[in-house]
């Protein structure tokens, strides 16, 4: 059955490779099944969707996100990395505060200051998150934009010789909670979170092929000599980060942005030191990814 809210919803594509604004929705209120289906369709089509001017509590955010699947719990970092992975205000295991704010000199959340290289959320784990939901609570005066790249388009742009060469191959994804540097994988990596995923994946909802490689966490192609792996990965990072595949989200207070973590990679631009930024994040859990 349609209600007024179903009719009012408006999808405004950003006109680029991905990204659409959805208007006419108040996320603090339960969404009808019909509207939810429209949102899911828009999400599959545009990969990154957002709602402006939202005023949602943590509970409302989790209730909405939970309509798209099993909510993700924060992945536990090993003890030696725990301080880098999360802050002291992480009271709900399903919420991650993305923030540079400190309380008595101690970070309240994760990801601190500055820019962040392109990555897949929890790409280093067996089940990378399916979806991420980020709500803007406090913003700096400029910068701190989130960039999203369409990895279906990136896959299409991979030269045929590489598509053939990499078919059936996996890559090592590894993370030690640095934001602009990879883990050195030449030594013992057993105590750093890592997993191997296919270089090309089939999206479980759309059936389309996506490039599944990012500069921050994808360190080595399995079964390929290091020098060649480095060369191929450099080429794949460049393809994944081409400006024509990127939508840059310029945050406004109250923005609620949600992205498909299997069909996009994302990064963050720098922002002025000393200015506060606070976002509330939750996720939907994923399944092991397949070629
Ligand atoms: C994240 C993330 C980017 C940002 O929350 O996973 O990468 O702009 N955030 O804070
Ligand atoms: Mn992220």
């Amino acid at each position: 059955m349609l209600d007024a809210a179903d009719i009012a919803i408006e999808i405004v594509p950003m006109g680029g490779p991905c990204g659409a604004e959805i208007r006419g929705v108040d996320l603090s209120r339960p969404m009808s099944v019909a509207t939810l289906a429209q949102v899911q369709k828009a999400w599959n089509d545009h990969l990154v969707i957002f709602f402006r001017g939202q005023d949602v509590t943590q509970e409302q955010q989790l209730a909405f996100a939970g309509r798209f699947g099993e909510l993700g719990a924060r992945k536990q970092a090993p003890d030696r990395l725990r301080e880098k992975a999360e802050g002291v205000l992480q009271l709900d295991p399903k919420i991650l505060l993305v923030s540079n704010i400190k309380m008595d000199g101690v970070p309240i959340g994760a990801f601190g200051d500055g820019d962040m290289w392109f990555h897949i959320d929890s790409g280093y784990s067996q089940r990378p998150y399916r979806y991420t939901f980020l709500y803007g609570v406090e913003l700096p005066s400029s910068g701190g934009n989130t960039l999203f790249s369409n990895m279906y388009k990136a896959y299409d742009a991979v030269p045929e010789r590489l598509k053939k060469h990499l078919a059936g191959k996996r890559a090592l994804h590894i993370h030690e909670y640095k934001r602009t540097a990879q883990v050195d994988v030449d030594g013992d990596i057993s105590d750093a979170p890592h997993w191997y995923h296919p270089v090309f994946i089939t999206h479980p909802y759309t059936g389309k092929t996506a490039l599944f490689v990012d500069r921050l966490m994808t360190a080595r192609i399995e079964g390929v000599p290091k020098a060649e792996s480095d060369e191929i990965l450099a080429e794949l990072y460049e393809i994944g980060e081409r400006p024509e595949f990127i939508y840059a989200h310029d945050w406004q207070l109250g923005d609620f942005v949600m992205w498909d973590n299997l069909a996009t990679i994302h990064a963050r631009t720098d922002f002025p030191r000393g200015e506060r930024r606070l976002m509330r994040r939750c996720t939907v859990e994923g399944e092991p990814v397949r070629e």
Side-chain angles (χ1 to χ4, degrees), residues 111 116 119 121 259 266 281:
F111 306 160
M116 219 173 158
H119 63 278
D121 288 337
W259 61 88
H266 60 282
R281 182 181 109 162

Side-chain angles (χ1 to χ4, degrees), residues 42-79:
W43 206 355
N44 289 345
D45 291 345
H46 300 288
L47 317 186
V48 182
I49 54 177
F50 60 91
F51 305 83
R52 299 245 194 233
Q54 299 297 314
D55 183 6
V56 284
T57 64
Q58 183 165 303
E59 289 65 35
Q60 288 162 345
Q61 177 169 352
L62 290 172
F64 175 62
R67 307 266 318 260
F68 296 93
E70 175 203 343
L71 289 170
R74 282 199 316 277
K75 309 232 157 138
Q76 287 295 311
D79 283 342

